[in-house]
Amino acid sequence: MSEVINHNGKIVADQRPADDIAGQSPLHHADLNSLASQGPQTGGVTIQERPLQGLLNLRCNKADKKQVTAVKKLLGVALPCDPLSSASNDDSVIRWLSPDEWLVSVDGAKAFELEAAFQANMPGHYSLVNVSGGYTILEISGDHAVDVIKKSAPIDVHQSSFPNDKVVSTVFAKSGAIIRRIAEDHFELIIRRSFADYLWIWLQDASREYGLVVKR
Amino acid sequence: MLHIFCPHCAEYREEEEFHSKGQAHLARPLDPEACSDAEWGEYLYFRKNPRGIHHELWIHAAGCRKFFNMTRDTVTYEIKETYKIGEKPSVTAQS
Ligand SMILES: [Zn+2]
């Protein structure tokens, strides 16, 4: 059952449905599992969805030492305060979105636990909102992953201006995406769930000339 | 296409990530009740349309979603500078 914690009047509710209800990604209808098992196994671009991750939007003050220290304790990673940077460990990734805003991703089953920990331990004026239901995550990798990004977004993807771990929010096709470079030929796209179907169709088209592999 | 330096992201991005929001440095009258209709109308509706140096408010709509100011030449379209809200322009029509 989904749980509600009331901590001194601050209420955190577990947004996942009850255990007997299976969560569905916004790309559920695309049946990526069948495409992964029956489709091509080699090609220039590989797309893998990371469905049902926990995404938490954090707004706080990077000049507040108590908050910065608390975030580091709660996440085990220091708040990345430089523009367009990210920091990660085995459990979570924290992305700079704007001077007072970060996007944290954790395992979907851990989001509620982390929200409750913030409510209990984070000092000062801040906001932590569970936005997991509004997005899905796609990873694009392979020799031609960079070419697919070039077709879709007006950003410079050369390693010299887009190194590993850099994060940009930008226009992607006729939608938007938060793009993080995981490795030279490996990108993460965080996209709005309402645009997921459109972007999935766009990405299939943009990848066609290189050969698209769907991975699960 | 304009190539615009976002002072929050600290790098140049393409124009399509931004929106212009009109004239910058509009100070809301501190006591609207004490304004004459002319003063209030001036604040609400009347905007400069200079030939040459102009200060504008822009938003990095697809990026960090923060507002900033820009000094731009309306004749050449040249962007002289961008700066954060609360900061003063270093290029003005007088200088
Ligand atoms: Zn920006």
Side-chain angles (χ1 to χ4, degrees):
Chain A
M1 256 315 276
S2 49
E3 200 186 333
V4 175
I5 292 179
N6 187 333
H7 192 270
N8 299 330
K10 293 184 285 187
I11 292 169
V12 195
D14 187 353
Q15 297 194 1
R16 283 172 307 151
D19 291 340
D20 55 340
I21 303 170
Q24 286 185 352
S25 127
L27 290 175
H28 179 78
H29 64 287
D31 194 10
L32 300 180
N33 282 331
S34 301
L35 289 173
S37 57
Q38 291 155 26
Q41 301 299 313
T42 57
V45 179
T46 299
I47 293 182
Q48 179 172 26
E49 192 195 11
R50 301 255 176 234
L52 308 177
Q53 294 289 298
L55 288 169
L56 302 173
N57 183 291
L58 171 66
R59 303 202 62 176
C60 64
N61 181 1
K62 67 184 177 206
D64 182 334
K65 291 217 167 65
K66 280 186 193 160
Q67 287 195 334
V68 172
T69 310
V71 169
K72 185 163 185 199
K73 224 181 232 172
L74 285 158
L75 294 173
V77 198
L79 198 63
C81 292
D82 291 335
L84 313 174
S85 63
S86 69
S88 58
N89 62 10
D90 291 344
D91 301 320
S92 52
V93 182
I94 176 160
R95 302 159 188 79
W96 183 97
L97 291 186
S98 85
D100 56 6
E101 187 178 4
W102 291 265
L103 185 64
V104 181
S105 61
V106 292
D107 187 283
K110 298 260 174 69
F112 176 55
E113 205 179 293
L114 188 58
E115 280 180 278
F118 261 84
Q119 288 292 36
N121 299 301
M122 180 76 166
H125 181 65
Y126 77 98
S127 138
L128 185 77
V129 179
N130 189 329
V131 294
S132 313
Y135 295 87
T136 192
I137 302 180
L138 293 175
E139 284 184 18
I140 303 189
S141 58
D143 293 343
H144 288 283
V146 81
D147 297 311
V148 172
I149 306 283
K150 280 184 196 169
K151 282 191 198 182
S152 315
I155 47 162
D156 185 351
V157 285
H158 192 271
Q159 281 269 190
S160 62
S161 85
F162 202 151
N164 294 354
D165 299 325
K166 181 172 172 175
V167 178
V168 303
S169 304
T170 185
V171 175
F172 196 93
K174 290 189 188 301
S175 176
I178 299 164
I179 308 176
R180 180 171 66 104
R181 192 173 210 149
I182 296 172
E184 185 166 2
D185 60 355
H186 191 173
F187 294 85
E188 170 199 73
L189 304 182
I190 302 187
I191 57 172
R192 301 297 294 233
R193 74 169 293 129
S194 52
F195 282 106
D197 180 57
Y198 160 70
L199 286 172
W200 164 237
I201 292 166
W202 170 278
L203 287 168
Q204 286 176 89
D205 187 44
S207 308
R208 188 158 294 136
E209 63 176 304
Y210 312 116
L212 172 62
V213 181
V214 177
K215 215 167 102 183
R216 220 37 183 155
Chain B
M1 283 289 274
L2 299 174
H3 209 202
I4 300 171
F5 186 86
C6 172
H8 303 289
C9 293
E11 70 172 20
Y12 284 90
R13 295 288 186 84
E14 295 295 328
E15 184 183 348
E16 66 181 288
E17 291 189 8
F18 299 86
H19 287 303
S20 172
K21 293 289 181 177
Q23 187 181 327
H25 304 295
L26 294 175
R28 187 175 196 270
L30 288 174
D31 186 4
E33 299 294 333
C35 283
S36 67
D37 285 354
E39 284 167 342
W40 187 246
E42 189 76 26
Y43 161 69
L44 274 188
Y45 301 114
F46 288 84
R47 297 291 179 260
K48 291 191 182 120
N49 185 20
R51 185 173 190 275
I53 297 294
H54 190 34
H55 304 292
E56 296 172 334
L57 182 66
W58 284 68
I59 183 170
H60 192 183
C64 61
R65 307 178 325 289
K66 294 285 181 200
F67 287 91
F68 62 91
N69 293 326
M70 177 189 293
T71 307
R72 195 171 66 86
D73 190 319
T74 59
V75 178
T76 62
Y77 283 5
E78 186 192 350
I79 296 168
K80 302 286 190 186
E81 61 179 342
T82 55
Y83 51 102
K84 290 177 186 167
I85 302 291
E87 294 175 354
K88 292 247 179 333
S90 63
V91 181
T92 59
Q94 284 76 37
S95 63

